[in-house]
Amino acid sequence: MKAMMLHSFGGPEAFKLRDVPTPVPHAGQVLVRVHATSINPLDYQVRRGDYRDLVPLPAITGHDVSGVVEAVGPGVTMFSPGDEVWYTPQIFDGPGSYAEYHVANENIIGTKPSSLSHLEAASLSLVGGTAWEALVVRAALRVGESILIHGGAGGVGHVAIQLAKAIGANVFTTAREDNFAFVRSMGADVVIDYRNEDYVDVIMRETGGRGVDVVFDTIGGNTLARSPDALAQLGRVVTIVDITEPQNVVQAWGKNASYHFVFTRQNRGKLDELSALVERGQLRPHVGAVYPLADIPLAHARLEAPNNGLRGKIAIAVEPSAHPANADI
């Protein structure tokens, strides 16, 4: 099979397309022909060596799969050849999804939502699971509460907006002015131009000085440091970003706030919950650009570039017939 191999840590040019043996499913495992995968910030963090101690080289990386079951190992009962499936491979535990075939344990695989294309499903598995764990499992966001989502036009952000609205929350988000219409179409109630407005000032003005119940941080750095200033009493901060600098939590302490650090876990339950929202029309990933498997280096460079013009996700068409590749949508 064809696979994009990472032979050394570094820039996008570190990837090389290679022929490698097709994996074989063992007991409890499923072999999937990958129709699509996608690009996440985690992917370029792995590529440049941020987690080098957890990724032995050479490696096949990648963290989203949408495809069709090719074969099953002994003991598999949930899936049969021909089934359309989606999932996030176990992170830091075996080969990833930048390949024509992938093997995974049955218990992390879900049935692909029928209303999504493979490109869309592959663009939702990791970011959707992350948003679900952040908002539902950790923040326990409730009907009628308010939430500030940093980076609403991004891969996780645009899914989090839709999830928060499905829960029944009032959604504030930060975005560039040229993304206002997009995040509003996702369901955002109040959009803040982070380049020209202080989001804390806007939140306090819009909430009468109370603050929001939850802040969901997808940016990190100074954004995380100032998030407690926008919180209400007993508020919750949830972040999916590595903590690269010391945080001053005195303001959070004064508000009896709780902090949650999320590194998403893989299981079928989250995928089934997301599928239900998709089928009810409450959730749909936005695919902003599509590249073929051979152009994963270009896709990585695009996602890493500042002001890259992207909304939502970059999808990778592994099956040539999946979509005209290397195109913005």
Side-chain angles (χ1 to χ4, degrees), residues 265-281:
R265 298 162 293 180
Q266 285 65 62
N267 62 69
R268 182 186 300 133
K270 288 190 296 185
L271 295 174
D272 290 345
E273 296 284 2
L274 293 168
S275 291
L277 290 174
V278 169
E279 300 302 355
R280 289 200 298 266

Side-chain angles (χ1 to χ4, degrees), residues 170 172 180 190-193 196-212 229-230:
N170 186 42
F172 299 80
F180 277 17
V190 178
V191 185
I192 303 166
D193 183 352
N196 297 309
E197 299 178 285
D198 185 300
Y199 69 85
V200 175
D201 290 345
V202 175
I203 292 293
M204 289 305 172
R205 182 180 69 243
E206 294 287 335
T207 63
R210 177 183 179 275
V212 294
D229 295 339

Side-chain angles (χ1 to χ4, degrees), residues 146-287:
S146 55
I147 181 172
L148 168 62
I149 297 170
H150 288 295
V156 176
H158 86 288
V159 170
I161 291 172
Q162 296 175 74
L163 178 55
K165 292 306 296 182
I167 292 169
N170 186 42
V171 177
F172 299 80
T173 193
T174 58
R176 297 194 312 268
E177 187 174 4
D178 56 346
N179 284 327
F180 277 17
F182 173 68
V183 295
R184 287 187 177 120
S185 73
M186 296 294 106
D189 297 293
V190 178
V191 185
I192 303 166
D193 183 352
Y194 66 89
R195 294 182 300 181
N196 297 309
E197 299 178 285
D198 185 300
Y199 69 85
V200 175
D201 290 345
V202 175
I203 292 293
M204 289 305 172
R205 182 180 69 243
E206 294 287 335
T207 63
R210 177 183 179 275
V212 294
D213 298 292
V214 175
V215 173
F216 182 34
D217 171 43
T218 69
I219 306 297
N222 186 57
T223 299
L224 177 59
R226 295 196 64 226
S227 287
D229 295 339
L231 274 184
Q233 282 289 325
L234 300 175
R236 292 90 77 195
V237 175
V238 186
T239 183
I240 59 172
V241 183
D242 291 349
I243 305 303
T244 57
E245 58 186 62
Q247 300 292 312
N248 184 350
V249 295
V250 172
Q251 186 73 356
W253 172 73
K255 292 186 175 181
N256 288 289
S258 60
Y259 273 64
H260 303 269
F261 302 93
V262 173
F263 189 88
T264 189
R265 298 162 293 180
Q266 285 65 62
N267 62 69
R268 182 186 300 133
K270 288 190 296 185
L271 295 174
D272 290 345
E273 296 284 2
L274 293 168
S275 291
L277 290 174
V278 169
E279 300 302 355
R280 289 200 298 266
Q282 294 177 291
L283 176 63
R284 195 170 198 95
H286 179 78
V287 179

